[in-house]
Amino acid sequence: MATYRDPFQEMDRLFGSLALNGRSAPGMPMDLFREGDHYVLAVDLPGIDPGSIDVSCEDRTLTIRAERTPRSGEGQWLLRERATGTVARQLTLGRGLALDQISASYADGVLTLTIPVAEDAKPRRIEVSHSAAPTAIEAGS
C-alpha cells in the first residue's frame, strides 16, 4: 500500500517546532493585568541584584534592564543552565496612562510595576440637563 507524504507539510512542522523552541523560554517572562484604575506588570527576575535593575520610560516606550552576574565557583562546573549577563525588554505603552506616576518594587525575584490610568482617560458620567417646564403646543397655530 502506498503512503502519501507531503514534503511541504513536513517542512512546516519542522520550522514550527524550531520557532516554538526559540520562544519557549524568554529571558524576562511577565504578566500584565488591569486592577481597577491601574495596570500591574509583574516581571520575573530571579537571582538579579536589585541595584542592577533599571526601569525607564521615554516617549511611551517602557524599558526594563537588569543584570545577573555570574557566580564565581571554587570548583569545576558540572552543569550551567542559568543565563548570566544583561537582560532587557521594551514595551510600547498605549495612550491614556499616567507615565509620570509609574511606581516599581522588587521582592522575591519579581519586579512589580504599577501604571496608573490617566485622569482624562478614566470613564466618567456626564449629566444630561433637562428643562422643568413642559413645552405646550397651541391649537390653531
Side-chain angles (χ1 to χ4, degrees):
M1 181 171 174
T3 304
Y4 174 74
R5 293 192 60 157
D6 182 3
F8 295 106
Q9 184 179 14
E10 190 65 23
M11 284 178 38
D12 282 344
R13 185 191 61 78
L14 176 66
F15 285 125
S17 68
L18 290 175
L20 287 177
N21 286 340
R23 288 188 225 145
S24 63
M28 201 181 287
M30 61 178 63
D31 292 333
L32 176 64
F33 59 94
R34 183 165 182 168
E35 192 174 79
D37 61 351
H38 60 277
Y39 290 90
V40 177
L41 178 67
V43 183
D44 286 347
L45 294 172
I48 298 287
D49 174 23
S52 75
I53 299 173
D54 179 41
V55 179
S56 63
C57 188
E58 181 180 344
D59 192 30
R60 295 189 316 130
T61 300
L62 179 72
T63 303
I64 302 168
R65 187 178 315 275
E67 185 172 350
R68 182 179 292 121
T69 54
R71 187 178 190 161
S72 59
E74 294 289 322
Q76 178 184 9
W77 286 101
L78 301 175
L79 179 65
R80 192 171 191 173
E81 293 180 344
R82 298 176 60 208
T84 59
T86 302
V87 292
R89 190 140 181 203
Q90 289 186 321
L91 300 167
T92 301
L93 302 176
R95 299 191 189 285
L97 300 174
L99 302 180
D100 58 337
Q101 298 175 14
I102 296 175
S103 62
S105 64
Y106 181 74
D108 299 327
V110 178
L111 173 67
T112 303
L113 299 175
T114 303
I115 308 167
V117 175
E119 286 298 321
D120 59 347
K122 291 180 183 176
R124 59 191 171 278
R125 181 172 168 79
I126 299 171
E127 288 292 324
V128 178
S129 63
H130 62 295
S131 61
T135 306
I137 300 176
E138 293 183 19
S141 314

